[in-house]
Amino acid sequence: MDRYCVMGNPVEHSKSPWIHARFAELTGHSLQYGKRLVPLDGFVQAVAELRAEGGLGCNITVPFKFEAARLAQHESARARLAGASNFLHFRSDGIYADNTDGAGLVNDIQSNAGVALAGRDVLLIGAGGASAGVLGPLIEAQVGRITVANRTLDKARALVERHAALARQHGVRVDSSELAAVQSPYDVVVNATASSLSGAGVPVSPQVLKPGALALDMMYGPAAAGFMDWARAHQAVPRDGLGMLVEQAAEAFLLWRGVRPPSARVLAELRSTLA
């Protein structure tokens, strides 16, 4: 049976095995999808072991997305631009890397949340692997303006500079800022930091929220509750990262299996299950 998994640290909370099992069931595919807790210094070995066992690929979560991109012999344009990968496919000519996070985020916002991104002002909080994976697809969605805000300004600047050519191509203004300096209001605010996972407070002022803004935390479950409560308390529309998780998984399933699964149905079922 074809084998896949998700690798990360931590990984026990991951819903990816359930999602991919449901995708397989609904599309008539036969596969096994598990999860592997990888030591912080053991990612290369873990990938080698999966390949040796006959595995066909894996999804990557924190903190290995940058390492995954460096490990591949081949990569998609979006993985190359991000410098980070959440998707590996083991092929006869080597390891192929892609990044499905951005497509997952954009699809969730536009298809599931019903918010058209074209012309919108977007605040992207954080400049790590999660932000790197979504900035390009947000630009390609023709947003009006994106600000990448990070605790370390140099890291935000580097991410913006890497995407400068793509931004010019699409006519999108992309800026960088320190977190404390962001004060203007935005239509869409995306928290791509690990602040929710660690239980820390929301890293920006509520002034960044336009009335009725969409405020999305890439985390889901209890980890996202604090951010969502904050958004709700300041007249924004809260959203967790569960839809992004399902949509990026659907993109990965398409790349591996050649068929796009019914992601909206699986998202509704997953929310019902968790509730």
Side-chain angles (χ1 to χ4, degrees), residues 23-42:
F23 284 168
E25 183 179 6
L26 292 172
T27 57
H29 284 237
S30 179
L31 59 84
Q32 289 181 341
Y33 188 107
K35 51 189 170 185
R36 297 193 180 192
L37 176 65
V38 178
L40 295 179
D41 60 351

Side-chain angles (χ1 to χ4, degrees), residues 178-239:
E178 292 181 334
L179 287 171
V182 182
Q183 299 294 330
S184 62
Y186 292 83
D187 300 297
V188 178
V189 176
V190 178
N191 183 21
T193 72
S195 60
S196 297
L197 193 62
S198 64
V202 177
V204 291
S205 162
Q207 292 180 350
V208 304
L209 298 168
K210 287 184 180 179
L214 177 69
L216 185 149
D217 195 317
M218 288 189 182
M219 300 300 170
Y220 57 89
F227 182 89
M228 294 178 70
D229 287 345
W230 170 82
R232 195 176 293 110
H234 294 94
Q235 290 73 56
V237 178
R239 189 168 184 84

Side-chain angles (χ1 to χ4, degrees), residues 139-152:
I139 292 171
E140 291 172 341
Q142 297 292 139
V143 300
R145 172 176 65 115
I146 304 176
T147 299
V148 179
N150 193 58
R151 182 175 55 85
T152 306

Side-chain angles (χ1 to χ4, degrees), residues 32-273:
Q32 289 181 341
Y33 188 107
K35 51 189 170 185
R36 297 193 180 192
L37 176 65
V38 178
L40 295 179
D41 60 351
F43 178 70
V44 173
Q45 179 180 344
V47 171
E49 289 174 353
L50 180 61
R51 293 186 76 189
E53 294 165 6
L56 296 182
C58 57
N59 289 123
I60 313 299
T61 186
V62 292
F64 302 115
K65 293 184 180 183
F66 289 115
E67 195 170 355
R70 294 192 298 267
L71 185 62
Q73 288 80 48
H74 312 279
E75 60 185 355
S76 68
R78 58 190 178 187
R80 185 181 308 113
L81 183 61
S85 173
N86 73 330
F87 170 95
L88 296 180
H89 188 189
F90 307 147
R91 309 187 312 195
S92 59
D93 61 346
I95 299 176
Y96 173 77
D98 203 341
N99 196 311
T100 66
D101 280 338
L105 177 67
V106 169
N107 288 343
D108 181 54
I109 290 175
Q110 299 201 127
S111 298
N112 299 324
V115 175
L117 285 168
R120 302 275 187 164
D121 291 340
V122 178
L123 174 63
L124 182 60
I125 307 171
S131 292
V134 304
L135 181 54
L138 284 171
I139 292 171
E140 291 172 341
Q142 297 292 139
V143 300
R145 172 176 65 115
I146 304 176
T147 299
V148 179
N150 193 58
R151 182 175 55 85
T152 306
L153 181 57
D154 287 347
K155 197 171 181 180
R157 283 175 173 165
L159 183 58
V160 168
E161 179 58 32
R162 195 158 73 240
H163 289 75
L166 183 68
R168 286 193 297 271
Q169 177 185 341
H170 289 275
V172 176
R173 175 184 166 189
V174 183
D175 302 314
S176 58
S177 174
E178 292 181 334
L179 287 171
V182 182
Q183 299 294 330
S184 62
Y186 292 83
D187 300 297
V188 178
V189 176
V190 178
N191 183 21
T193 72
S195 60
S196 297
L197 193 62
S198 64
V202 177
V204 291
S205 162
Q207 292 180 350
V208 304
L209 298 168
K210 287 184 180 179
L214 177 69
L216 185 149
D217 195 317
M218 288 189 182
M219 300 300 170
Y220 57 89
F227 182 89
M228 294 178 70
D229 287 345
W230 170 82
R232 195 176 293 110
H234 294 94
Q235 290 73 56
V237 178
R239 189 168 184 84
D240 66 8
L242 200 64
M244 175 185 172
L245 176 70
V246 172
E247 293 294 345
Q248 65 80 26
E251 187 80 4
F253 193 90
L254 171 64
L255 292 169
W256 280 326
R257 312 299 298 183
V259 59
R260 180 173 292 280
S263 54
R265 174 177 173 178
V266 172
L267 174 58
E269 291 176 355
L270 182 56
R271 286 205 184 277
S272 178
T273 298

